[in-house]
Structures are given as C-alpha cells and as structure tokens.
Amino acid sequence: MTDDAYLFLLDDVSSSLGVAPAAVGDLACMETPAVRGWLDAHGITRTSPHLRLLPPEETAAIPEGAERLPVPLSDEETSRLRHELVPEPLAQIEEELLAYRDCADGRDGLIGRALASGVPPHRIAELTGVDPATVTAAADG
C-alpha cells in the first residue's frame, strides 16, 4: 500500500469509483506543476468527469491500465476525501464523530453506534482522535 492518494482517469464516467477532486474541495496538489503537467498531457481539466481521486488504502481498486498519478494529500484533505467516499447512511455518523473531537460526553455510546453502523475502528480513531485501544475497549464494553 502506498501513502499517496491517486488521481486517475476513468473511461466510463458513470462509474462510481473514486471521487471527483472538485467534490473534495481545494486540494493543494492540484496546483503543483506535476499535476498541471499530467492534466495537460492528457488533455483534460481538473473538472473533467473522467478525473477521479482515491485515498491510499483504496488505490488497488484503480482499473489496470488506467492513467494514474500519485499525489500527496494533507491529513485534513485525506479525511475530506474519505468522507466523500462514505455511503450516505454513514455520512451522518461520521459527522458526529468529527464533532466529538470537541466533546467527550457520550463517547462510548457514539463509538458503539458508529461500530454498529459499520464504521471501521481505524476510521473512528482517525475521526475522533481517540486512541485505537479506546475504540476497541468501547466495542468490547
């Protein structure tokens, strides 16, 4: 697994694989000469429906032979990208997990609901800033 996210091009714009970079918001990597040159070389713009982005843990899903470019994202950019990939039923619980950073009241209940909803423990730890062992303990308790 790589630590970089990947920009890639899809032939089928109806595919749900990845996220359009514009949906993630401003990304510093989109202003780099490497990305601008790559886009120019393929004759596309940053708003092309063929252009998609995946976080590091999902890059194995990029179709074989698809044009791709590794791009570094900040932790905050990566978190926004992952949030865009979450199915709608999980998006609300992820919003609550993000809000949790400011309030510890009801922590175990929220973590329990998130786990029951299918949010992976590592994602809960990332969103809340809680130690992974605490997430595991809340799951067991």
Side-chain angles (χ1 to χ4, degrees), residues 23-99:
V24 182
D26 290 334
L27 299 170
C29 68
M30 297 302 285
E31 300 302 323
T32 64
V35 170
R36 289 194 317 253
W38 187 78
L39 293 173
D40 288 346
H42 292 289
I44 62 166
T45 66
R46 66 180 67 200
T47 59
S48 169
H50 296 276
L51 184 63
R52 303 292 172 87
L53 182 65
L54 278 174
E57 68 275 5
E58 300 289 331
T59 58
I62 299 173
E64 180 106 12
E67 293 294 332
R68 63 183 82 200
L69 178 70
V71 292
L73 298 180
S74 70
D75 289 343
E76 192 270 330
E77 290 171 334
T78 301
S79 184
R80 288 193 331 243
L81 170 58
R82 288 176 178 142
H83 184 71
E84 286 297 321
L85 289 168
V86 173
E88 188 56 39
L90 297 182
Q92 177 60 38
I93 196 79
E94 282 205 356
E95 289 295 328
E96 290 181 50
L97 288 166
L98 281 170

